Amino acid sequence: MSTATYNLGDIRFSQTELRDLAAAWVALGIAFTLFLNPGHLQALQYGQLDSAALGRSFALSMITVGGGFLLHELAHKVAAIRFGQIAEFRADYGMLGLAIVAALAGFLFAAPGAVHHRGYITNRENGIIALAGPLTNVALAALFFPVWFLFDGFLGSVGSLGVIINVLLAGFNMIPFGPLDGKTVLRWNKLVFAAVFVPTVGLGVLLLFNGLF
C-alpha cells in the first residue's frame, strides 16, 4: 500500500488507490466509446476519423459510464469507512484490458475492480455497504432523468445515457450471484433486497427490450 495519502474531508485515499481509480475510469471510458460507437474504429482504419466526434463520444462515456462506476465504488468506500473499516479500491488490470478487447469485438463487458475493506463488521453493516453502490446509481439515474428531457444535443445525450447506464449498473449489481452486491444484500435482509432488486432489474430489462441500449 502506498505511503502517500490524500484526504477529502475525513476520507483518505492512497496514491495507489487514486491511480487505480483513474485507470479504471479511463479504461471504461475507452471501452464504452468503442462499444457504443464502432464507426470510430472503422473510420480510423480508412483514415477518416473525426477527432471532434471521437472526443465527444469519449467525454460522453467518461461522464456517464465512468462517473456511474466511480461514484458506485466511492459509495462502497464511504459506507465502509463510516462503519470503521479500512477500505480501498483496487483495479483489476486484466479485466480492464479484457473490457477494451471485448468492446473492440462488439461485446459489452466491465469488471473493473472493487473496494476491499477489512475490520470487524456485522452482517447488517456489510449489507448496507453493498447496498450503497446500487443506491448511488439509482440516485444518479434520477439526477440524469430531467437532463434527458430538458436538453437536446450533447446534454440530452448525457442525460439519456446517464439514466440508462446507471439503471443497468444498479440492476446488474443487485443480481444475487458471485461477488455482486445483491448476494450480500440478500444475505442481510430479504425484504430490502426485494425492494431494490425488483424495480432496478425490472426497469433495466425494460430499457433493454425497448432497444434503448
Side-chain angles (χ1 to χ4, degrees):
M1 191 176 292
S2 175
T3 55
T5 60
Y6 305 87
N7 296 333
L8 180 61
D10 57 352
I11 308 299
R12 178 174 296 180
F13 296 89
S14 72
Q15 191 172 35
T16 300
E17 181 179 24
L18 290 175
R19 180 203 64 198
D20 280 11
L21 285 166
W25 191 9
V26 172
L28 286 177
I30 293 171
F32 274 79
T33 297
L34 295 172
F35 174 74
L36 296 172
N37 306 275
H40 289 318
L41 189 60
Q42 296 171 1
L44 179 62
Q45 293 173 338
Y46 292 100
Q48 299 174 344
L49 182 64
D50 184 337
S51 57
L54 177 62
R56 180 181 181 277
S57 298
F58 181 65
L60 180 62
S61 293
M62 289 289 282
I63 294 169
T64 56
V65 180
F69 147 76
L70 189 69
L71 293 175
H72 176 107
E73 295 301 333
L74 289 179
H76 287 315
K77 178 183 175 75
V78 170
I81 290 173
R82 297 303 183 196
F83 288 124
Q85 298 282 287
I86 297 173
E88 283 206 4
F89 174 80
R90 285 292 177 267
D92 187 326
Y93 285 89
M95 290 299 184
L96 289 175
L98 183 58
I100 294 175
V101 172
L104 287 169
F107 296 100
L108 179 60
F109 178 83
V115 169
H116 301 279
H117 55 90
R118 65 181 186 272
Y120 173 76
I121 197 167
T122 66
N123 193 41
R124 172 183 172 274
E125 291 168 343
N126 203 32
I128 293 173
I129 292 170
L131 190 61
L135 287 185
T136 295
N137 292 124
V138 170
L140 287 171
L143 288 174
F144 279 117
F145 187 79
V147 178
W148 184 358
F149 288 96
L150 292 176
F151 297 95
D152 297 319
F154 181 74
L155 282 179
S157 297
V158 168
S160 61
L161 189 59
V163 170
I164 294 166
I165 286 296
N166 279 286
V167 168
L168 292 177
L169 279 174
F172 175 76
N173 279 282
M174 283 303 297
I175 296 173
F177 177 79
L180 297 175
D181 300 324
K183 187 175 182 180
T184 303
V185 177
L186 179 61
R187 188 164 55 238
W188 160 49
N189 190 306
K190 292 181 175 61
L191 289 177
V192 172
F193 168 79
V196 180
F197 174 84
V198 172
T200 55
V201 172
L203 186 54
V205 170
L206 184 64
L207 291 173
L208 289 173
F209 273 90
N210 277 276
L212 292 178
F213 189 70

